[in-house]
Amino acid sequence: MKRLLITGAAGGLGRAMRSRLVGFAETLRLSDIADLGTAASHEELVTCDLGDAAAVMKLVEGCDGILHLGGISVEDKFSKILNANLLGLYNLYEAARVHGHPRILFASSNHVVGFYRQDEHIDVKAPMKPDGLYGVSKCFGEALARMYFEKFGQETALVRIGSCFEKPVNHRMLSGWMSYDDFVSLIGCVFRAPMLGCPVIWGISNNDSKWWDNSHAAYLGWKPKDNAEIYRAELEATIERPAPTSAMAVYQGGKFVEDPIFAED
């Protein structure tokens, strides 16, 4: 790959991927509205508001692939979610349509199914149960990607990330965690696949207590190697278990199910 665009490159996951994807493409084009620091020799840094259609059109030009991590990643006011996660995503797909359909990995979220209980095991055929406006924005994103695939042939991997950190930081993550290394290997599989289509993929490592079935995506050859279970003893020793009736213990979306609709200023 000559040029891979990473949106949201200044965020936590973006920073982790920036260092780990060196060599994945000749050039990494890194974009965010926040400070991206100093460019390395293989990097291009672009400040871009995803809500600015003209800027996004220019951002995507010349890219062979897009790792879309940009946008609001927590529950927030609808106006913020609207600009980054809905309008911004539309701008990205329109730019991809104009510029030759570079393959996209879209960072969707487990919060599209946040109202399922933790004792329910589901696959990608389960109806969406978003736990807030953030989750709704990811439902929109998946639907938009599907439309662009059916109408224009735009390939996208819809990766419903559980949580992607160096290690799990609470008990809920023992089920939904994905390691950085497993995410890197997934990115490789997505962009190397001869034919991708528009699959939904659960973004999780090979966790013993996982809630989600990824068997439908076996054709990609992705075999996550890490397992959150190795951190269970550490969590048990350092973090109190959530109350059995709390959202963190009952729902797959955790505390997101309890968030209010945040009022606009």
Side-chain angles (χ1 to χ4, degrees):
M1 190 181 298
K2 290 185 178 296
R3 182 176 284 105
L4 174 67
L5 169 62
I6 304 178
T7 66
L13 187 52
R15 292 194 303 272
M17 293 302 105
R18 177 178 180 175
S19 62
R20 287 169 172 81
L21 293 177
V22 174
F24 194 87
E26 293 178 14
T27 301
L28 296 181
R29 179 174 290 173
L30 308 173
S31 174
D32 210 304
I33 57 173
D35 181 32
L36 288 161
T38 303
S41 60
H42 64 282
E43 295 177 337
E44 299 171 345
L45 307 186
V46 182
T47 301
C48 181
D49 181 346
L50 294 172
D52 183 337
V56 175
M57 187 66 68
K58 186 176 180 180
L59 178 69
V60 171
E61 184 177 4
C63 294
D64 305 298
I66 302 172
L67 175 58
H68 183 52
L69 306 176
I72 300 295
S73 62
V74 294
E75 194 67 6
D76 210 324
K77 298 173 184 177
F78 180 68
S79 59
K80 292 184 178 180
I81 293 173
L82 173 65
N83 182 73
N85 294 21
L86 282 76
L87 178 59
L89 193 67
Y90 167 74
N91 291 338
L92 186 78
Y93 272 85
E94 270 298 279
R97 180 181 66 82
V98 169
H99 292 303
H101 308 291
R103 188 173 286 182
I104 299 172
L105 189 156
F106 168 54
S108 186
S109 171
N110 70 99
H111 294 289
V112 302
V113 293
F115 265 108
Y116 282 95
R117 295 174 57 90
Q118 294 182 13
D119 57 7
E120 295 179 277
H121 294 262
I122 60 176
D123 60 20
V124 296
K125 296 179 181 179
M128 293 176 174
K129 289 188 179 183
D131 52 28
L133 293 177
Y134 167 69
V136 168
S137 78
K138 294 300 185 178
C139 295
F140 168 83
E142 291 190 13
L144 187 75
R146 170 58 63 177
M147 185 273 284
Y148 271 82
F149 173 67
E150 300 294 348
K151 189 179 288 286
F152 303 114
Q154 171 66 56
E155 291 191 310
T156 302
L158 306 169
V159 181
R160 292 179 177 174
I161 297 174
S163 58
C164 192
F165 297 95
E166 185 175 357
K167 62 182 181 179
V169 299
N170 58 47
H171 289 82
R172 175 175 160 269
M173 289 188 189
L174 292 172
S175 296
W177 176 70
M178 178 168 60
S179 71
Y180 290 148
D181 286 346
D182 282 338
F183 190 29
V184 169
S185 70
L186 174 57
I187 293 168
C189 288
V190 165
F191 286 107
R192 286 194 303 265
M195 294 184 64
L196 176 65
C198 191
V200 174
I201 304 165
W202 301 105
I204 51 172
S205 287
N206 189 31
N207 306 324
D208 286 355
S209 59
K210 56 183 175 287
W211 304 312
W212 307 313
D213 177 9
N214 250 340
S215 58
H216 65 286
Y219 72 96
L220 292 175
W222 182 48
K223 296 180 180 180
K225 297 179 179 180
D226 292 316
N227 188 336
E229 198 65 25
I230 66 172
Y231 297 102
R232 183 178 293 276
E234 178 183 341
L235 280 173
E236 296 286 0
T238 58
I239 300 175
E240 185 177 356
R241 277 182 171 273
T245 57
S246 70
M248 285 292 287
V250 173
Y251 293 103
Q252 294 184 11
K255 65 180 182 62
F256 272 61
V257 305
E258 299 177 327
D259 284 334
I261 301 298
F262 293 102
E264 301 290 339
D265 294 331

